[in-house]
Amino acid sequence: MRAHHRLLVVAVLVLVAIGLASLVGANVLGGQRVAEGGRPGLPHRTLGPEETPHDVFHRFRLGSIDGERLSPNRNDFAARTTPDGPLLLFLPATRSKPAEYQRFLTTALGDGYHVLGLDYWNLGKTLSATCEADARCYGQVQRNRFDGTRSSEYSSVTPAGSIVSRFRDAVAHLDEVDPDGGWGRFVQADEDITWGDIVVAGHSQGGGEAAYIAHIRPVLGALMFAAPVESVGPVHAAWMDRPGRTPATRMYALDDVRDSYRPRITGSWTALGLEGRGGAGGTGGPWRTRTAPPRPGADPHAILTRLPGGDARHAHSRVVKDTTPLDEHGDPHMLALWQWLLHRFPTPDVPSARS
């Protein structure tokens, strides 16, 4: 009988402990930022001279903002090497997540950038399928996802769930866990974002969003991978018809020649004034290469590659996702070209944009 009583007491204590743990977990997930992946809170680790920056990312989720649970709410990825580097803000493609771009993000990290792969509302249909030939639709959807304004039947992201809001909260978290990391300088005391210290980059829909952000904000630079996909025949996103806050001289775009979306992408490049800019021989179209970077002195802003292997079905992703092909040493074939693009903008280790 006493043994039975002891078992009941133990069972009650276990249930109480589980209940308390669940309550604490709910509070953390509901209102706090959550570090995941079994990694320590500090995202910073100084790299040795022979060390590559693989597997040094701080992974975390934003539980809620202003009492609103975020959806989607997938891992953000962040890291840095020096406290004074510019920030690379990377936005994934439709239904993709930051975890799928670690090879490119580690390349940026190794070149002296602070790196933030940011989750945002990129579910549902692609932007091109949503807007098709409706030129005004593109900017309305992109603005809504940027700051939560211009809600419509096509996109109804709230201000709390917007890219701006998520970015501010992510930076606040990173500044908290890495107070010597220089994260706080990317958001001022009045919550204005210091866009002039940020290179916005993205893939597909994320690359189109990066281009749109560069249009409405004076960013340090913009990198667009297989993007923007915002033209259909003679029609393109209406916002491209007006001069942007960031000049085309600080915007670069890259795609594979076999990408099935290439006509829509190169049409967008033409509208943005990127084709033929800085290319070899003064040709009017994109500069072409297999994977080698441009020669010294050349500065093409629209680049078409032809990656080895694979097929047209995967060409849209292989220029930047972790599925990108590797050479015999295990390095991406795109590595030198990625680095060339990243070097267009100054970092502590890269004092000026140079070839």
Side-chain angles (χ1 to χ4, degrees):
M1 194 69 177
R2 283 196 296 268
H4 180 67
H5 178 71
R6 283 197 298 271
L7 287 173
L8 286 175
V9 171
V10 169
V12 170
L13 291 174
V14 169
L15 289 172
V16 170
I18 291 173
L20 288 173
S22 299
L23 179 61
V24 170
N27 287 337
V28 170
L29 288 171
Q32 303 293 329
R33 306 169 186 92
V34 184
E36 291 196 333
R39 300 194 51 75
L42 293 179
H44 168 59
R45 179 160 69 84
T46 301
L47 301 178
E50 303 299 325
E51 188 179 20
T52 59
H54 291 288
D55 197 32
V56 298
F57 288 107
H58 175 63
R59 309 175 189 191
F60 62 99
R61 286 181 294 134
L62 303 175
S64 68
I65 297 177
D66 296 335
E68 178 182 324
R69 292 294 300 273
L70 299 181
S71 177
N73 186 20
R74 300 162 294 198
N75 279 345
D76 295 324
F77 278 63
R80 68 165 176 99
T81 52
T82 64
D84 57 346
L87 175 67
L88 180 88
L89 170 62
F90 188 88
L91 302 172
T94 303
R95 296 183 294 278
S96 296
K97 51 193 176 183
E100 298 172 58
Y101 301 89
Q102 294 184 64
R103 292 186 184 277
F104 174 71
L105 296 181
T106 54
T107 301
L109 178 63
D111 276 349
Y113 283 87
H114 285 56
V115 171
L116 174 59
L118 188 70
D119 187 35
Y120 69 108
W121 204 96
N122 62 348
L123 305 179
K125 295 193 298 184
T126 64
L127 180 63
S128 59
T130 297
C131 294
E132 290 290 351
D134 184 345
R136 294 178 58 83
C137 168
Y138 292 94
Q140 291 173 341
V141 171
Q142 289 170 309
R143 186 69 187 226
N144 177 244
R145 293 176 183 177
F146 174 68
D147 62 9
T149 62
R150 298 189 186 179
S151 180
S152 69
E153 61 180 305
Y154 303 116
S155 182
S156 56
V157 175
T158 64
S162 68
I163 290 170
V164 166
S165 179
R166 289 171 184 254
F167 177 82
R168 288 172 178 158
D169 212 52
V171 166
H173 166 66
L174 293 166
D175 196 42
E176 178 182 315
V177 300
D178 184 19
D180 297 324
W183 295 98
R185 62 194 167 87
F186 299 117
V187 178
Q188 301 174 18
D190 60 1
E191 294 196 337
D192 279 349
I193 296 172
T194 54
W195 293 107
D197 291 331
I198 298 172
V199 173
V200 289
H203 173 221
S204 195
Q205 180 180 159
E209 191 71 39
Y212 180 75
I213 293 172
H215 180 76
I216 63 173
R217 296 291 185 269
V219 299
L220 178 60
L223 298 177
M224 297 153 281
F225 296 93
V229 194
E230 299 179 32
S231 71
V232 181
V235 178
H236 55 261
W239 61 263
M240 296 180 181
D241 290 331
R242 302 183 302 277
R245 300 289 302 280
T246 303
T249 54
R250 298 209 300 270
M251 301 175 69
Y252 294 83
L254 176 71
D255 193 22
D256 190 280
V257 70
R258 292 174 293 178
D259 188 349
S260 60
Y261 293 103
R262 181 164 65 91
R264 293 189 173 197
I265 293 168
T266 55
S268 301
W269 293 354
T270 300
L272 289 170
L274 300 180
E275 290 190 346
R277 181 180 294 276
T283 58
W287 183 75
R288 295 188 179 224
T289 180
R290 284 193 175 271
T291 58
R295 70 174 190 273
D299 188 33
H301 289 251
I303 302 173
L304 283 176
T305 67
R306 188 177 182 87
L307 283 162
D311 55 39
R313 292 176 302 167
H314 304 105
H316 187 66
S317 297
R318 298 170 82 232
V319 292
V320 69
K321 271 193 171 182
D322 288 344
T323 53
T324 192
L326 307 180
D327 63 20
E328 66 274 16
H329 305 294
D331 295 321
H333 282 279
M334 293 293 297
L335 180 60
L337 191 49
W338 287 348
Q339 290 176 322
W340 183 88
L341 290 167
L342 292 164
H343 292 180
R344 300 304 91 201
F345 317 108
T347 68
D349 295 327
V350 187
S352 63
R354 80 270 191 259
S355 299

